[in-house]
Amino acid sequence: QQPVQSPQAVILREGEDAVINCSSSKALYSVHWYRQKHGEAPVFLMILLKGGEQKGHEKISASFNEKKQQSSLYLTASQLSYSGTYFCGTDQTGANNLFFGTGTRLTVIP
Amino acid sequence: KAGVTQTPRYLIKTRGQQVTLSCSPISGHRSVSWYQQTPGQGLQFLFEYFSETQRNKGNFPGRFSGRQFSNSRSEMNVSTLELGDSALYLCASSLGGQLSNEQFFGPGTRLTVL
């Protein structure tokens, strides 16, 4: 039930773009995206509900392809503050029972 | 608005002991979820409580249990501790209800089992 995230790690220079993918073998009600910095708690980024929607949050946006049960997180014009581990959490029932991927470690360098 | 608080922040126990962790959700949130985070397994769902009832449960042995009080505060108990239980235990609160909504995580309790 754990979703698969890719890539496992990525290094970017400031201003570059990145895409993080999350896929599930199960039908999903929603996909949640979180970012966790070292030694801190995960912080909510956005939720995408079934129906195949797309959301944006400043220079971070995401899409959810319900047919493929895949979600992608897009980070554009990356900043140093974007560094951290990004997790997708998948909810199959709508009851907030989340299964998280193993995370993508993103490092932005000057 | 105060965030999610967890106590204690750090714990050291020995094998065979039991431990109780506490989580106070954001005011007005009725759902509390617990997760175990380890370097090898990532974030794994333990259980979720809503209005004092366990609504969902992950794939953990019965040594892991929890409860929720009428003020939505939640406790998690682990009995007969094993070395493999060493982890960061995170709780997250949300409004709850029937719709998937954002979860707010606490800072976690770092449990070390010797």
Side-chain angles (χ1 to χ4, degrees), chain B residues 53-90:
Chain B
T53 301
Q54 186 182 89
R55 196 163 57 168
N56 294 292
K57 190 177 189 305
N59 191 26
F60 276 80
R63 299 185 297 107
F64 291 82
S65 63
R67 59 177 175 168
Q68 187 180 33
F69 302 95
S70 58
N71 62 357
S72 294
R73 189 177 71 84
S74 177
E75 288 183 347
M76 189 190 92
N77 185 275
V78 187
S79 61
T80 319
L81 284 166
E82 300 177 0
L83 295 179
D85 296 333
S86 293
L88 179 67
Y89 290 89
L90 293 161

Side-chain angles (χ1 to χ4, degrees), chain A residues 58-76:
Chain A
E58 294 185 347
K59 294 178 181 175
I60 300 176
S61 62
S63 63
F64 176 28
N65 185 322
E66 187 181 355
K67 288 183 180 178
K68 294 183 178 180
Q69 303 305 326
Q70 289 178 351
S71 179
S72 294
L73 185 71
Y74 308 94
L75 300 105
T76 58

Side-chain angles (χ1 to χ4, degrees), chain A residues 11-104:
Chain A
I11 299 174
L12 299 173
R13 290 197 178 277
E14 269 187 296
E16 292 182 337
D17 302 339
V19 180
I20 300 172
N21 299 303
C22 174
S23 63
S24 173
S25 60
K26 304 284 187 181
L28 300 176
Y29 183 90
S30 66
V31 178
H32 301 219
W33 285 97
Y34 290 82
R35 176 173 62 208
Q36 185 177 31
K37 292 183 181 285
H38 184 69
E40 299 179 9
V43 173
F44 171 81
L45 293 175
M46 60 190 79
I47 290 178
L48 299 106
L49 303 177
K50 66 178 181 179
E53 64 171 343
Q54 193 155 357
K55 275 193 175 180
H57 175 66
E58 294 185 347
K59 294 178 181 175
I60 300 176
S61 62
S63 63
F64 176 28
N65 185 322
E66 187 181 355
K67 288 183 180 178
K68 294 183 178 180
Q69 303 305 326
Q70 289 178 351
S71 179
S72 294
L73 185 71
Y74 308 94
L75 300 105
T76 58
S78 59
Q79 306 167 14
L80 295 175
S81 61
Y82 286 4
S83 292
T85 300
Y86 290 77
F87 293 96
C88 70
T90 56
D91 181 358
Q92 296 172 25
T93 63
N96 257 11
N97 178 4
L98 295 183
F99 291 92
F100 283 92
T102 51
T104 296

Side-chain angles (χ1 to χ4, degrees), chain B residues 94-112:
Chain B
S94 65
L95 288 170
Q98 293 304 308
L99 293 178
S100 195
N101 44 64
E102 64 182 289
Q103 298 189 16
F104 294 85
F105 282 84
T109 294
R110 172 78 60 186
L111 173 65
T112 302

